[in-house]
Structure formats: C-alpha cells, structure tokens
Amino acid sequence: MEEKKDVLILAVESSCDETAASVVKNGREVLSNIISSQIELHKLYGGVVPEIASRKHIEKINQVIEEALKEANVTLDDLDAVAVTYGPGLVGALLVGVSAAKAIAYAKKLPLVGVHHIEGHISANYIENKDLEPPFICLVVSGGHTHLVVVRDYGKYEIIGHTRDDAAGEAFDKVARAIGLGYPGGPKIDKLSKEGNPEAIAFPKAKMADSPYDFSFSGLKSAVLNYLNGCKMKNIPVVEADVAASFQKAVVDVLVEHSMRAVKEYGFDKFAIAGGVASNSTLRNAMEQACRRRRIHFYHPSPIFCTDNAAMIGAAAYYEYRNGTRHSWDLNAVPNLKLGER
Ligand code: KG4
Ligand code: ZN
C-alpha cells in the first residue's frame, strides 16, 4: 500500500480554562485553531475555579471541535489521528477533553495520541519556525510551570531546572492582584510596566546555591507585598507602574540569566521560549538581545500560540504519532503527569 503523505491530526486541549481544538497538518501547518476562553468567568473570582472550568468545558467542547473541523474544511473521515492533552492540569478539566477525544477516536477507529501539556507548549515553536529542529534549549514559563528543558530530540526531554515554589506566571498573577490589576495579571503587568521605571525598586533575585538552573519566585512575591505594606504604613503613595516594572525586571533578569547559562553550558546554538509568560514583551526583547549577543538563534511562538491552545498539542502529537505513540481506550487524565512519561 502506498504511504499516505499528509498526516492530519485533530487536537483537543482542556487542561485549564481554555477549551480548544485544532486541526494540524504534518505537525507544522495549522488549518484551524479554535479557542474558547473562560477568562471572563474566572475573573470574578480572581483565578481559575476548577469546578466551574470543568462545567464550562463540557458546555463548549463539542461546539469548539465542530468549529475546528469546519474552519479546516475537513471531516472526521479525513483525519489520521485524534490527539488530546491528558496532563498535567486540573483533573476535571482534563477529563472533558480526554473523554471527547476518546469518543471520536473510538467511533471513527482512529489512533488516539495523548500529549503532555508542556510538550505542547514547547512544540508551539515548530508551528511558525519551519526550520527549528532539536536539539535546543527551551524555557517553559506558564501559569503552572517554570521549566528549563533540554530538547534532545522530538519527544525526548531533560528537565535541567524548575521552580522550587511559584511558577513565573503565578507570580505575575499574584503581584497583579496585590496592586489591584485583576486576573490574569501577566498581560496587565506587561502593559503597565511600559509606563514605569524598572530601576525604581530593587527587588531580590533568588539564587539556588545547589542548582544554577532552578528558580524561586515566592521570595520576590513576598518582597513586593512587603513593599506595598510598607508604603501603606508610612503613608507613602505607591507608583503601581514602577512596582510592576521593577517586579517584571526581577523576573526577566533571572529567566534570562539562567537560560543563557544553560545555553552556554550545553553548547547549543538554538534557544526557544514557550508558555503564557513567553508572550511578555520585556522578556521577549531581553531574550532576543541576550541571544543576539551570543550569536544564538532565538525562537518564540506568536502570543496566540504561547497561551493555551490546541494547535501546539497537534504539533506535539504529530511527532509522537510518527514515533509510534498510541494510547488505548483506558487513557485517563493524569493531573501531575511528568514530562517524558507515556
Ligand atoms: O500557558 P498558559 O496559558 O497556561 C498555563 O499552562 O499555565 O499561561 C498562563 C499564564 C498566566 O499566569 C498569565 O498571567 C501569563 O501566562 N501571561 C503573561 C502574559 N500573558 C500571559 N505573563 C506575563 N506577560 C504576559 N504578556
Ligand atoms: Zn499551558
């Protein structure tokens, strides 16, 4: 039998507060990318409420999948596989996507490919950078994760650094809440920082004596809260833009420092960023400059592929599919799934 040339994958993502579906061709060509965000709903509570997230996913999932197929101009009969994020994430939220993907794959007798959410974020870089191939180093910075990863090959990852406490995005969200910006805080701090002085307040940058690649953001978060309290006690007016810019600088400096140390140590000439925080304009500029100085190629997804989406899951799934990854009908949601586990 002649081998079919193109591989069309329907990918589903529902690990947090975005219900998303996408059709991806050969891992790098996005035919559709539908995202139904619940942000407006969770804003009322200052963060994601797991129970509400699960219920909203159930309401939206079929419609989002139908739209993704329609926009890609394909039917279920054109697909080669169905992919889905099965961890890490909120268990009730993950289960909705996993159940939908299993139902479609079972009914259409298609292979089922479970994808790790972080592998998805990393693979978002393949979509717009057709030349990018492993090995490279990737900094994954999202609301739930801060990982420095060596991408040895497709599907082969080595985590060399991670956060000891808060994720980078979590720190952005908590500081934003403290200065009254609301949820999600990252984009708001990004915007407000442009009007502030990043040198105004010297916030601490945590260093882990035993690991040059690990991160810690809870001390920084406390320092910001202490600063705000101190101002209140002494009746000193707070310049929110300066607090935002100085906090952001402390985060960005550490992320750049650790990443460039890893790039140098491992000797790769390619470096990528991924995850929601990777859409931060100051972080992107700082990484761009740091890489240029070292003559390293810098890769980053467009903002729409940085925050949660299903196209990135389709990109990751293509390489998993090519490597022979197939999941059975008992695939379950794994809220604390480790990168590289099958
Ligand atoms: O990757 P993502 O959509 O979800 C997770 O997998 O966690 O990341 C969401 C996180 C949130 O914490 C949000 O505040 C942060 O990414 N974020 C940003 C920016 N846009 C989103 N942080 C800093 N600057 C931004 N422009
Ligand atoms: Zn994510």
Side-chain angles (χ1 to χ4, degrees):
M1 199 174 81
E2 195 189 323
E3 205 185 328
K4 195 178 161 211
K5 239 174 72 228
D6 290 330
V7 175
L8 273 188
I9 296 182
L10 168 69
V12 177
E13 154 68 42
S14 69
S15 65
C16 192
D17 59 347
E18 263 94 27
T19 320
S22 168
V23 178
V24 180
K25 186 166 147 185
N26 302 326
R28 303 214 181 206
E29 197 182 325
V30 177
L31 303 188
S32 63
N33 185 29
I34 308 296
I35 304 166
S36 168
S37 175
Q38 307 175 0
I39 283 181
E40 288 304 317
L41 208 63
H42 298 287
K43 244 184 198 171
L44 303 170
Y45 307 94
V48 177
V49 184
E51 182 58 32
I52 295 178
S54 319
R55 280 196 231 168
K56 270 288 146 191
H57 283 310
I58 293 175
E59 281 174 35
K60 291 281 175 184
I61 193 91
N62 287 343
Q63 181 190 333
V64 166
I65 291 173
E66 273 170 30
E67 264 183 66
L69 293 167
K70 195 169 158 216
E71 192 173 301
N73 203 15
V74 300
T75 69
L76 292 176
D77 294 320
D78 301 316
L79 300 175
D80 295 279
V82 181
V84 63
T85 308
Y86 72 108
L90 303 168
V91 67
L94 286 163
L95 268 173
V96 177
V98 168
S99 309
K102 280 204 287 196
I104 295 172
Y106 184 77
K108 299 305 287 182
K109 298 188 171 56
L110 287 167
L112 177 70
V113 181
V115 174
H116 190 288
H117 184 73
I118 298 300
E119 179 171 24
H121 274 303
I122 295 170
S123 305
N125 279 288
Y126 298 135
I127 296 169
E128 294 155 298
N129 302 299
K130 310 291 179 204
D131 63 318
L132 176 61
E133 294 204 36
F136 59 93
I137 289 186
C138 186
L139 172 74
V140 185
V141 268
S142 72
H145 309 272
T146 305
H147 286 344
L148 203 46
V149 182
V150 178
V151 183
R152 294 271 178 208
D153 201 347
Y154 295 110
K156 290 207 168 56
Y157 308 96
E158 194 183 312
I159 298 173
I160 56 170
H162 62 91
T163 180
R164 299 280 180 93
D165 37 60
D166 291 354
E170 203 178 342
F172 269 93
D173 293 337
K174 286 178 179 168
V175 166
R177 193 194 302 195
I179 53 178
L181 297 177
Y183 175 84
K188 292 184 170 143
I189 289 200
D190 194 352
K191 196 165 162 228
L192 183 62
S193 293
K194 295 193 198 314
E195 297 158 27
N197 173 11
E199 312 292 342
I201 311 148
F203 287 128
K205 290 164 201 164
K207 278 207 166 58
M208 266 5 93
D210 53 337
S211 168
Y213 303 127
D214 276 359
F215 304 93
S216 165
F217 294 108
S218 74
L220 170 60
K221 176 193 67 193
S222 301
V224 175
L225 298 181
N226 286 341
Y227 174 83
L228 294 172
N229 265 336
C231 289
K232 204 170 159 191
M233 309 262 280
K234 292 178 220 149
N235 246 333
I236 302 169
V238 172
V239 183
E240 278 94 0
D242 284 352
V243 177
S246 302
F247 157 76
Q248 183 174 268
K249 181 179 175 354
V251 176
V252 167
D253 283 356
V254 167
L255 294 176
V256 172
E257 236 173 69
H258 289 202
S259 301
M260 291 305 115
R261 190 178 298 135
V263 162
K264 187 172 172 215
E265 177 74 26
Y266 284 80
F268 297 143
D269 62 351
K270 286 176 267 183
F271 172 73
I273 54 173
V277 183
S279 55
N280 183 274
S281 53
T282 302
L283 177 66
R284 288 159 93 98
N285 290 339
M287 287 294 191
E288 177 106 59
Q289 277 182 29
C291 287
R292 196 179 313 130
R293 271 202 301 277
R294 291 167 179 82
R295 296 181 193 288
I296 288 162
H297 296 277
F298 173 52
Y299 298 89
H300 55 84
S302 289
I304 190 70
F305 296 124
C306 284
T307 41
D308 288 350
N309 66 89
M312 68 184 196
I313 303 304
Y318 170 75
Y319 293 101
E320 287 291 344
Y321 174 86
R322 250 186 26 178
N323 285 345
T325 302
R326 302 289 184 270
H327 284 93
S328 51
W329 306 126
D330 62 359
L331 177 70
N332 206 350
V334 185
N336 56 357
L337 184 68
K338 300 279 169 294
L339 190 62
E341 254 177 40
R342 291 289 184 274

